[in-house]
């Protein structure tokens, strides 16, 4: 077979205990050599980007790689001959070239102790001795297999350097370039980032584009005195950044005072306990609700108290549209709230009290719909206090949406059902566990744990898509997109066509609290497991706050920030300052 007919140029067979030596002394130098046509060799190492892919059958992948490799380099060692897997690889290689005449098998002896263990079936094939020929074995090896040493050393270059930062604050995008970009025979590669301390998080492996890899969402989850980043890629010498510091957190005073020493805005009481109070703005940004474990209190931007009501159980859902807000408790109790200060309890009166837990509340078309886990879809009239059962969905209502005409339900049995009026029209399979959904103009987007679903309303077509996230736990609708967040803290903002507008990384265990968008920019706040709040703009965490809540209104004209005195309410200029805008 001609070399061009093989998938790989070289397959390396070795014992896992010898991996470090194989990687540093054999695999990496081989990837820096040149083929006769001037290209880099394709080297199969099981623990590499060209190796066994996730989900592949390991034995089948190895067998195919051996048979489809022009050369097989076998690393003889004591552990190599003691393992059934490596002996199996040796047998497979001999099946392809039993006499050795084709030159497929190229052994090297790593340890003299392994010399007496070489099986008789392969002892007719000469090996290179690493210990006896420490300076000569590798040049002889690459000569035997038709490679040459590249005159040009390929390097990685840190084209942007990180600067001092704080924990959970996203670094400015880190760029790493391949030194041979633009040259003849250049091929894109995979760059990996590591740090010389614990706690590095974000997207740590990126494929280059135009010879450059950009890491937009790198941060640290714990402080470090002085730290450096190291970039690695197959066939390239690593690059290390200049040292920088990662401190505990940025000072809160700058956000509260604006850096001028005088507090900005007005302060309202934080509730009890203060650190667990949450602020929800009405759409206008002129009025807001402070919700804690026992009460909801309404204020205007001047700090004037407008209304108060007790809370009987933990809030599950808070929705706001226009001058209306709805709070749904885990007990099923509903509070209808107006911006004027009116707070009215609206008993849902479920058809069955069992599992009368709200799945979602939708304010659409001048009406309020509540879907319950027990399957009741209720229409509530806040003015009269009357409740009407629209229909009962037998499999329960995990979540739902409405476009004012139809109702779209996701149930506990993995079904998506379209209701026209009170009658089910179409049904499609989805995951049993979903994180959320959003009604766009022509599509319903459903965020599952493993997949994304797009329901085409005009054409009545459901399309599932594979997600690039791991286990999605949270979804939050914005006005023109939806945010998805997985269990590792990675997330993205998706539009109606399920195209990612921005990708980001927060921290493991983060929970989204509020989100909004203006133009192409997306914003969100997250609650971290330690109670810290984080503020995100597009792909970057720009601020973390250990002093309580961070919240903003949909129009980005008001900011709520926890402070030692309570909750400080400021205008949008303070928010823009935190976001780094002029």
């Amino acid at each position: 077979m001609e070399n061009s007919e093989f998938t790989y140029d070289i397959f390396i067979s070795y014992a896992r205990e010898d991996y470090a030596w194989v990687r540093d002394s054999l695999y990496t130098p081989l990837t820096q050599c040149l083929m006769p046509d001037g290209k880099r060799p394709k080297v199969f190492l099981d623990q590499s980007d060209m190796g066994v892919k996730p989900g592949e059958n390991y034995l089948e992948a190895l067998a195919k790689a051996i048979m489809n490799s022009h050369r097989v380099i076998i690393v003889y060692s004591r552990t190599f001959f003691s393992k059934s897997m490596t002996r199996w690889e040796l047998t497979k290689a001999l099946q392809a070239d039993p006499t050795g005449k084709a030159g497929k098998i190229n052994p090297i002896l790593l340890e003299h102790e392994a010399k007496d263990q070489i099986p008789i079936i392969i002892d007719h094939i000469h090996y290179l001795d690493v210990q006896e020929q420490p300076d000569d074995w590798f040049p002889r090896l690459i000569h035997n297999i038709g490679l040459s040493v590249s005159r040009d050393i390929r390097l990685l270059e840190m084209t942007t350097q990180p600067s001092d930062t704080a924990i959970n604050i996203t670094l400015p995008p880190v760029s790493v370039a391949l030194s041979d970009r633009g040259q003849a025979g250049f091929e894109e590669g995979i760059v990996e980032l590591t740090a010389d301390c614990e706690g590095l998080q974000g997207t740590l492996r990126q494929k280059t584009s135009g010879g450059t890899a950009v890491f937009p969402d790198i941060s640290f989850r714990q402080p470090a005195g002085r730290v450096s980043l190291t970039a690695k890629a197959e066939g390239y010498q690593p690059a290390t950044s200049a040292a920088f510091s990662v401190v505990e957190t940025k000072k809160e005073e700058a956000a509260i005072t604006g850096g001028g020493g005088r507090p900005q805005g007005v302060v309202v009481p934080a509730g009890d306990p203060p650190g667990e109070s949450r602020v929800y703005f009405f759409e206008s940004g002129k009025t807001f609700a402070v919700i804690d474990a026992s009460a909801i209190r309404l204020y205007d931007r001047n700090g004037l108290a407008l209304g108060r009501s007790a809370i009987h159980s933990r809030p599950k859902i808070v929705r706001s549209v226009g001058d209306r807000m709805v709070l749904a408790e885990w007990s099923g109790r509903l509070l209808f709230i107006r911006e004027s200060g009116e707070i009215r309890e609206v008993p849902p009166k479920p058809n069955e009290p069992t599992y009368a837990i709200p799945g979602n509340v939708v304010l659409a078309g001048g009406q309020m719909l509540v879907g319950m886990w027990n399957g009741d879809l209720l229409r509530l009239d806040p003015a009269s206090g009357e409740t009407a059962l629209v229909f009962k969905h037998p499999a329960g209502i995990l979540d739902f949406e409405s476009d004012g005409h139809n109702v779209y339900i996701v149930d506990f049995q993995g079904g998506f059902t379209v209701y026209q009026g009170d009658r089910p029209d179409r049904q499609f399979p989805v995951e049993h566990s979903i994180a959320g959904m959003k009604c766009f103009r022509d599509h319903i987007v459903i965020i599952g744990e493993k997949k994304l679903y797009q329901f085409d309303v005009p054409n009545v077509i459901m399309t599932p898509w594979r997600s690039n996230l791991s286990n999605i736990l949270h979804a939050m609708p914005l006005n023109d997109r939806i945010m998805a967040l997985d269990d590792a803290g990675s997330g993205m903002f998706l539009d109606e066509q399920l195209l990612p507008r921005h990708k980001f990384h927060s921290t493991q265990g983060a929970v989204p609290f509020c989100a909004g968008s203006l133009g192409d920019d997306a914003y969100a706040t997250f609650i971290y497991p330690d109670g810290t709040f984080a503020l995100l703009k597009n792909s970057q965490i720009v601020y973390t706050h250990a002093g309580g809540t961070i919240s903003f209104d949909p129009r980005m004209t008001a900011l709520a920030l926890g402070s030692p005195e309570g909750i400080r309410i400021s205008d949008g200029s303070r928010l823009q300052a935190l976001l780094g805008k002029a």
Side-chain angles (χ1 to χ4, degrees):
M1 295 177 69
E2 294 293 329
N3 197 18
S4 60
E5 299 180 42
F6 290 97
T7 305
Y8 308 103
D9 299 302
I10 301 167
F11 179 99
I12 300 178
S13 177
Y14 70 102
R16 187 61 54 88
E17 289 79 0
D18 303 321
Y19 172 73
W21 184 90
V22 169
R23 178 196 61 201
D24 297 337
S25 300
L26 180 61
Y27 171 74
T28 299
L30 284 172
T31 61
Q32 296 174 342
C33 292
L34 295 178
M35 300 287 292
D37 60 3
K39 294 182 179 181
R40 306 289 175 178
K42 296 178 180 178
V43 184
F44 185 99
L45 184 73
D46 61 345
Q47 296 189 73
S48 70
D49 292 319
M50 203 171 285
V52 180
K53 305 297 186 296
E56 277 191 294
N57 182 293
Y58 192 76
L59 287 178
E60 289 182 4
L62 290 180
K64 289 180 181 178
I66 291 171
M67 301 306 293
N68 289 294
S69 293
H70 188 212
R71 311 286 188 185
V72 176
I73 297 176
I74 302 176
V75 182
Y76 290 163
S77 69
R78 288 169 296 177
T79 50
F80 181 91
F81 293 112
S82 68
K83 290 178 169 291
S84 58
M85 176 61 70
T86 47
R87 293 198 307 269
W88 175 83
E89 291 176 4
L90 186 149
T91 301
K92 283 293 180 183
L94 279 171
Q95 290 174 357
D97 184 16
T99 65
K101 291 183 178 180
K104 184 182 185 75
I105 301 173
N106 295 265
I108 58 177
L109 182 66
L110 180 60
E111 299 171 333
H112 280 169
E113 295 83 351
K115 185 186 302 185
D116 296 334
Q117 301 179 42
I118 299 173
I120 191 172
I121 58 172
I122 199 173
D123 66 357
H124 61 287
I125 298 178
H126 178 68
Y127 58 78
L128 294 171
D129 194 318
V130 173
Q131 294 183 4
E132 287 189 358
Q133 304 163 319
D135 299 322
D136 193 42
W137 72 269
F138 187 76
R140 292 181 62 187
L141 173 68
I142 63 173
H143 173 76
N144 292 343
I145 61 179
L147 301 182
S148 61
V149 177
S150 174
R151 294 182 179 179
D152 298 322
I153 299 176
R154 298 196 299 174
L155 306 173
L156 293 179
E157 303 170 0
M158 288 272 191
T159 54
T160 58
Q161 292 285 345
S163 56
D164 293 346
T165 186
I167 60 171
N168 295 319
I169 296 290
T170 309
L171 291 168
V174 175
S175 298
V176 181
L178 309 181
S179 63
D180 61 337
R181 59 192 184 280
Q183 298 179 13
F186 168 77
E187 295 181 0
E188 302 287 0
I190 301 291
V191 179
E192 181 177 359
L193 275 189
T194 59
D196 52 8
C197 72
E198 298 293 329
L200 182 64
Q201 59 186 2
T203 305
L204 304 180
R205 287 167 58 87
Q206 290 280 27
K207 186 174 183 179
T208 60
S209 176
T212 299
V214 180
F215 298 83
D217 58 1
I218 301 300
S219 63
F220 289 83
R221 61 176 174 268
Q222 61 192 52
R226 299 294 286 173
V227 62
S228 297
L229 298 178
T230 298
K232 298 179 180 179
E234 293 180 6
Y236 291 83
Q237 291 190 4
T240 301
S241 73
F244 58 97
S245 298
V246 182
V247 300
E248 185 69 34
T249 186
K250 288 185 176 180
K251 292 183 178 180
E252 311 294 343
E253 290 81 1
I256 297 172
T257 68
R262 298 183 60 186
Q264 303 288 315
V266 300
V267 176
V268 299
D272 186 32
E276 295 184 12
S277 296
R278 306 290 181 253
V279 175
Y280 298 86
F281 282 94
F282 284 85
E283 195 171 289
S284 68
K286 298 178 180 179
T287 311
F288 59 93
V290 178
I291 300 176
D292 58 29
S294 60
I296 175 173
R297 302 183 307 281
L298 297 185
Y299 298 92
D300 67 13
R301 285 267 295 275
N302 296 317
L304 178 65
L306 302 176
R308 182 188 185 281
S309 177
I311 292 177
H312 296 173
S313 64
R314 187 160 57 95
K316 183 178 186 292
I317 301 168
V318 178
R319 294 281 185 269
S320 177
V321 175
D323 65 347
R324 298 171 295 165
M325 183 181 292
V326 174
L327 186 154
E329 301 179 12
W330 273 92
S331 64
R333 180 172 178 260
L334 297 172
L335 293 178
F336 182 82
I337 306 140
R338 289 194 182 275
E339 197 166 5
S340 61
E342 176 189 4
I343 304 176
R344 178 199 295 265
E345 181 178 354
V346 184
K349 299 178 183 176
N351 187 44
E352 295 178 14
T354 306
Y355 300 116
I357 298 170
N360 199 2
V361 177
V362 173
L363 300 168
Q367 63 182 356
M368 179 165 58
L369 297 175
V370 182
M372 302 299 232
W373 282 8
N374 65 9
D376 290 348
L377 183 75
L378 307 172
R379 180 182 293 111
L380 308 182
D381 184 350
S384 64
E386 295 182 357
T387 303
L389 178 67
V390 181
F391 58 77
K392 184 176 181 65
H393 186 68
I397 300 176
L398 176 61
D399 200 351
F400 82 101
E401 272 288 359
S402 173
D403 57 10
H405 303 286
N406 299 332
V407 175
Y408 308 92
I409 287 177
V410 174
D411 59 42
F412 287 91
Q413 296 181 4
F416 172 84
T417 304
V418 181
Y419 273 84
Q420 294 185 345
D422 60 354
R423 295 180 178 275
D425 180 49
R426 298 289 184 90
Q427 188 171 45
F428 302 87
V430 294
E431 293 177 56
H432 285 75
S433 175
I434 70 163
M437 57 194 298
K438 176 174 171 57
C439 180
F440 289 93
R441 187 183 68 176
D442 294 323
H443 297 89
I444 307 296
V445 169
I446 303 166
I447 307 297
E449 183 180 0
K450 299 292 186 183
K451 293 183 179 180
L452 309 175
Y453 301 86
Q454 183 189 52
F455 178 68
D456 185 329
V457 175
N459 297 304
V460 197
I461 298 173
M462 175 68 82
T463 305
W465 300 91
R466 183 178 64 86
S467 169
N468 290 326
L469 301 175
S470 56
N471 299 314
I472 301 177
L473 300 182
H474 307 284
M476 179 168 284
L478 289 70
N479 57 340
D480 63 345
R481 63 200 79 177
I482 186 168
M483 177 179 65
L485 182 69
D486 69 15
D487 55 357
S490 294
M492 60 180 67
F493 293 94
L494 299 160
D495 63 15
E496 183 173 359
Q497 302 303 325
L498 293 182
L499 297 175
R501 295 280 193 92
H502 303 285
K503 299 178 181 180
F504 61 87
H505 189 89
S506 53
T507 196
Q508 186 174 8
V511 177
F513 176 64
C514 72
S517 62
L518 286 176
D520 291 333
D521 294 327
Y523 309 91
T525 63
F526 302 92
I527 307 173
Y528 286 173
D530 64 357
T532 298
F533 273 73
L535 177 62
L536 172 84
K537 176 185 176 182
N538 296 333
S539 297
Q540 291 191 301
I541 299 292
V542 297
Y543 180 67
T544 57
H545 186 64
T549 189
I550 302 178
S551 184
F552 51 81
D553 69 298
R555 299 178 182 178
M556 314 290 287
T557 63
L559 169 70
L561 197 67
S563 73
E565 297 83 16
I567 297 174
R568 188 170 297 277
I569 307 299
S570 307
D571 62 24
S573 63
R574 297 298 332 122
L575 178 58
Q576 302 307 329
L578 289 182
L579 294 169
K581 296 179 69 174

